[in-house]
């Protein structure tokens, strides 16, 4: 294998990463310039040259090589690091291309492996030609076919398989964005930014602004708050729209691939056999509008880099009634219709309500103790906790699917319904937990664990009857049918 360098434009990426690593130091220097009006050009010229030089050094020291068996990456100046990644260990591959890199035919290739430490499970080629990244991806797929248990004839059929596509329309994405709770973190980010302004801007810039705020009347404050809410809503809408712009789901050769993004086009692919579970999520707004989001649990950090969560989003928004058929089309082990779910008795709602109220009593008591009358506002947490408890109890359910090899678990949290569908062979462990107080009531907590990223995801069905929990436990202990493996 002959080692080669990244594209020269990767120097810009390395310089950007150096700046990102030194943002605190650079921020303090910028504050010194603004506050003291003192600029020593030689110091700042030296810092700029140091950043550029370090970016160039990282480019020179970074090389890679690959053949039909794996990929090798060499990096580091004082401590040389050589990472060899066999294609058989790759879980997912992710292609990212910013709009300004499109004319040059360059993209970033992120490879997720089956490692157990975050830094060792993620490998990136920051800037390579699309031709090279596609070649590496193709070698990985060829290795998948070679190592599979399928007969050679079936492998040949798969190579000629026509891809199944599903595209999300702009209208559906608009519904998804409008029913998102992303507005709250956006507002939180705006408030955090405002609270930190005094650390970066001198008082002479902030004082006029503070004077205006101190003289606002109630009507003016209502206008300001309304404006902030609108700003947060518009920002949230545009953020989601550009993130999932022209979303396409593709299934070909037992591989699932998603393509999305406006400013940064992202392609994320994973073998179907490496998907651990499928998740259907609906917050309370999307339940009212009969919409759902479909994700997949993957044994890699496929989603975390996109700030979605640790899961692989395979369909951002779809009509709830179309979910079973949609899943059956892309996952043949999921039936085209779901069985009737086995819900908890309504009396169990009391347990969830009790737990939620007990947790909320702690901040309520502290607020009243320290702020007295103003702290009594925290009593609003009690009805909120009651509604959360009722919601969780009403949305807790489970069912065995028709193939007797898959399990459907449904739970509720923070006014969001989460349905997890998983095959028995992908369950890492199944645990039944019971406190001494639950023994007399014949209740059990059922905990199902599947691998997620470099860790674990636990799906919990609380206050299940002993008989139902024992039935699921015995189902898990059954020997799987060879034809389903």
């Amino acid at each position: 294998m002959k080692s080669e360098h990244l594209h020269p434009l990767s120097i810009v990426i390395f310089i950007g990463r150096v700046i990102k690593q030194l943002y605190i130091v650079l921020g303090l220097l910028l504050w010194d310039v603004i506050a003291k009006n003192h600029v020593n050009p030689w110091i700042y010229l030296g810092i700029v040259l140091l950043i550029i030089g370090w970016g160039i050094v990282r480019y020179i020291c970074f090389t890679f090589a690959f053949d039909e068996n794996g990929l090798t990456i060499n990096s580091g100046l004082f401590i040389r690091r050589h990472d060899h990644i066999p294609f058989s260990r790759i879980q997912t591959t992710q292609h990212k291309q910013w709009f300004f890199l499109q004319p040059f035919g360059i993209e970033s290739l992120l490879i997720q492996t089956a490692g157990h430490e975050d830094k060792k499970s993620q490998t990136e080629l920051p800037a390579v030609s699309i031709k090279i990244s596609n070649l590496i991806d193709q070698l990985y797929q060829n290795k998948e076919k070679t190592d599979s248990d399928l007969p050679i004839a079936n492998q040949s059929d798969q190579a000629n398989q026509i891809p199944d596509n599903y595209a999300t329309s702009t209208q559906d994405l608009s519904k998804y964005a409008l029913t998102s709770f992303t507005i709250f973190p956006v507002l939180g980010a705006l408030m955090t930014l405002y609270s930190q302004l005094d650390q970066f801007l001198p008082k002479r810039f902030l004082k006029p602004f503070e004077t205006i705020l101190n003289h606002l009347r109630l009507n003016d404050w209502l206008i300001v708050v309304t404006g902030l809410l609108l700003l947060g809503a518009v920002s949230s809408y545009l953020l989601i729209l550009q993130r999932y712009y022209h979303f396409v789901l593709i299934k070909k050769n037992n591989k699932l691939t998603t393509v999305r993004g406006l400013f940064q086009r992202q392609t994320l692919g994973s073998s179907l056999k490496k998907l651990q579970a499928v998740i259907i999520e609906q917050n309370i707004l999307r339940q009212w509008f009969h919409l759902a989001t479909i994700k997949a649990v993957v044994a890699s950090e496929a989603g975390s880099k996109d700030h979605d969560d640790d899961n692989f989003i395979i369909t951002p928004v779809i009509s709830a009634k179309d979910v079973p058929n949609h899943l059956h089309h892309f996952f043949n082990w999921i039936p085209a219709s779901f069985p009737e779910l086995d819900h908890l008795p309504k009396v169990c709602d009391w347990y969830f309500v009790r737990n939620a109220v007990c947790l909320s009593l702690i901040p309520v008591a502290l607020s009243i103790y320290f702020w007295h009358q103003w702290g009594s506002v925290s009593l609003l947490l009690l009805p909120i906790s009651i509604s959360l408890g009722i919601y969780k109890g009403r949305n807790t359910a489970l069912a065995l699917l028709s193939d007797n090899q898959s399990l459907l678990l449904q739970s509720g949290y923070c006014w969001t319904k989460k349905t997890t569908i998983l095959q028995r062979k992908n369950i890492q462990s199944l645990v039944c937990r019971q406190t001494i107080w639950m023994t007399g009531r014949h209740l059990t907590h059922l905990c199902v664990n599947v691998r997620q990223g470099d860790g674990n995801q636990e799906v919990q069905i609380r206050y299940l009857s002993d008989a139902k929990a024992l039935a699921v436990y015995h189902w898990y202990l059954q020997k799987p049918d060879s034809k389903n493996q």
Side-chain angles (χ1 to χ4, degrees):
M1 293 187 292
K2 182 180 178 181
S3 297
E4 54 184 300
H5 288 281
L6 299 170
H7 192 278
L9 276 177
S10 62
I11 295 175
V12 179
I13 297 176
F14 285 128
I15 291 174
R17 292 182 178 180
V18 173
I19 294 174
K20 186 177 179 180
Q21 292 170 351
L22 300 176
Y23 75 96
I24 295 179
V25 176
L26 297 176
L28 291 174
L29 291 172
L30 180 62
W31 177 86
D32 184 66
V33 172
I34 297 175
K36 300 181 179 179
N37 290 321
H38 176 70
V39 180
N40 188 331
W42 295 108
I43 294 177
Y44 295 103
L45 177 62
I47 292 173
V48 171
L49 292 177
L50 181 63
I51 292 173
I52 295 175
W54 186 239
I56 294 174
V57 168
R58 291 182 65 176
Y59 164 75
I60 294 174
C61 296
F62 193 105
T63 60
F64 68 96
F66 61 92
D67 57 18
E68 65 276 5
N69 296 315
L71 171 69
T72 301
I73 295 178
N74 310 301
S75 59
L77 176 60
F78 301 109
I79 300 177
R80 293 294 290 171
R81 178 172 173 173
H82 307 279
D83 295 326
H84 180 69
I85 307 164
F87 289 132
S88 59
R89 285 178 55 83
I90 294 178
Q91 298 292 319
T92 60
T93 57
Q94 189 171 5
H95 302 254
K96 295 183 179 181
Q97 185 183 50
W98 285 100
F99 64 93
F100 53 81
L101 293 178
Q102 289 182 4
F104 304 98
I106 302 167
E107 65 181 13
S108 171
L109 178 64
L110 182 65
I111 298 171
Q112 304 285 349
T113 65
H116 293 279
E117 297 179 29
D118 186 53
K119 291 184 179 179
K120 293 185 179 181
S121 66
Q122 300 179 9
T123 304
E124 183 180 14
L125 299 179
V128 293
S129 68
I130 295 177
K131 181 180 179 180
I132 291 178
S133 65
N134 286 342
L135 180 58
I136 293 174
D137 212 356
Q138 185 61 47
L139 290 172
Y140 152 61
Q141 293 181 45
N142 290 342
K143 188 66 176 177
E144 281 271 301
K145 296 174 188 176
T146 304
D147 294 343
S148 68
D149 297 326
L150 293 174
I152 297 177
N154 289 350
Q155 293 181 20
S156 176
D157 292 341
Q158 286 186 2
N160 300 319
Q161 187 183 60
I162 299 175
D164 291 331
N165 292 1
Y166 175 82
T168 303
S169 66
T170 304
Q171 183 180 1
D172 288 338
L173 283 180
S174 295
K175 295 177 184 178
Y176 178 74
L178 292 172
T179 55
S180 172
F181 290 147
T182 311
I183 182 175
F184 296 110
V186 169
L187 289 175
L190 292 174
M191 293 175 65
T192 303
L193 178 63
Y194 172 74
S195 66
Q196 300 296 323
L197 285 178
D198 59 341
Q199 298 183 17
F200 298 99
L201 296 178
K203 290 185 178 180
R204 68 175 183 271
F205 290 138
L206 292 176
K207 191 172 182 180
F209 185 66
E210 292 176 351
T211 303
I212 294 174
L213 289 179
N214 292 332
H215 290 83
L216 289 180
R217 295 173 296 180
L218 179 61
N219 292 339
D220 298 327
W221 273 111
L222 290 175
I223 294 174
V224 171
V225 172
T226 304
L228 285 174
L229 289 174
L230 288 174
L231 177 62
V234 172
S235 301
S236 170
Y237 176 82
L238 295 177
L239 180 67
I240 293 176
L241 208 61
Q242 69 84 23
R243 181 181 295 172
Y244 297 105
Y245 181 76
H246 280 184
F247 183 96
V248 180
L249 174 65
I250 305 168
K251 177 185 176 183
K252 185 180 180 181
N253 298 339
N254 279 334
K255 181 180 179 182
L256 214 57
T257 305
T258 62
V259 185
R260 61 181 173 90
L262 177 59
F263 300 111
Q264 186 187 57
R265 202 68 179 152
Q266 299 187 26
T267 303
L268 176 62
S270 176
S271 170
L272 281 171
K273 69 179 182 180
K274 294 182 179 179
L275 300 183
Q276 305 298 302
V278 175
I279 297 175
I280 306 164
E281 270 192 0
Q282 294 176 283
N283 63 34
I284 190 67
L285 289 177
R286 290 177 186 145
Q287 283 183 261
W288 292 342
F289 290 97
H290 306 289
L291 301 173
T293 299
I294 303 175
K295 305 176 182 179
V297 179
V298 188
S300 70
E301 300 294 326
S304 60
K305 286 291 183 181
D306 305 322
H307 308 288
D308 298 318
D309 55 17
D310 291 332
N311 294 320
F312 176 10
I313 294 186
I314 56 178
T315 307
V317 60
I318 189 173
S319 174
K321 66 179 181 180
D322 296 332
V323 167
N325 279 325
H326 180 74
L327 288 176
H328 179 68
H329 184 72
F330 288 95
F331 303 91
N332 54 17
W333 55 273
I334 298 180
S337 61
F338 293 161
E340 185 176 351
L341 299 183
D342 193 356
H343 288 265
L344 300 180
K346 288 188 178 180
V347 69
C348 291
D349 293 353
W350 152 248
Y351 301 119
F352 294 104
V353 172
R354 178 200 59 190
N355 295 343
V357 170
C358 288
L359 286 176
S360 65
L361 285 177
I362 298 174
V364 168
L366 292 175
S367 299
I368 294 177
Y369 178 79
F370 287 106
W371 294 296
H372 307 296
Q373 292 182 348
W374 285 106
S376 61
V377 177
S378 62
L379 290 172
L380 293 173
L381 288 175
L382 296 179
I384 293 175
S385 301
I386 293 172
S387 65
L388 285 172
I390 294 174
Y391 182 89
K392 189 168 185 176
R394 298 286 171 84
N395 286 281
T396 299
L398 80 166
L400 287 174
L401 299 186
S402 56
D403 63 350
N404 202 39
Q405 300 297 321
S406 310
L407 181 65
L408 187 151
L409 304 172
Q410 181 178 286
S411 59
Y413 67 99
C414 295
W415 297 299
T416 299
K417 184 170 70 173
K418 181 177 179 180
T419 304
T420 304
I421 308 173
L422 63 165
Q423 292 178 287
R424 178 168 52 194
K425 65 180 183 179
N426 290 329
I427 297 177
Q428 299 294 309
S429 64
L430 189 147
V431 182
C432 293
R433 297 173 183 165
Q434 190 178 55
T435 65
I436 57 174
W437 294 280
M438 296 170 62
T439 305
R441 297 181 176 88
H442 303 289
L443 297 175
T444 301
H445 297 328
L446 181 69
C447 306
V448 180
N449 295 283
V450 294
R451 185 176 177 187
Q452 178 193 48
D454 297 326
N456 173 73
Q457 180 173 116
E458 183 181 78
V459 185
Q460 199 175 93
I461 303 296
R462 297 172 65 85
Y463 303 111
L464 195 64
S465 68
D466 287 349
K468 293 178 183 177
L470 195 60
V472 176
Y473 186 76
H474 286 315
W475 165 82
Y476 175 63
L477 294 179
Q478 289 177 9
K479 292 184 179 179
D481 297 335
S482 59
K483 65 180 180 180
N484 292 313
Q485 296 302 303

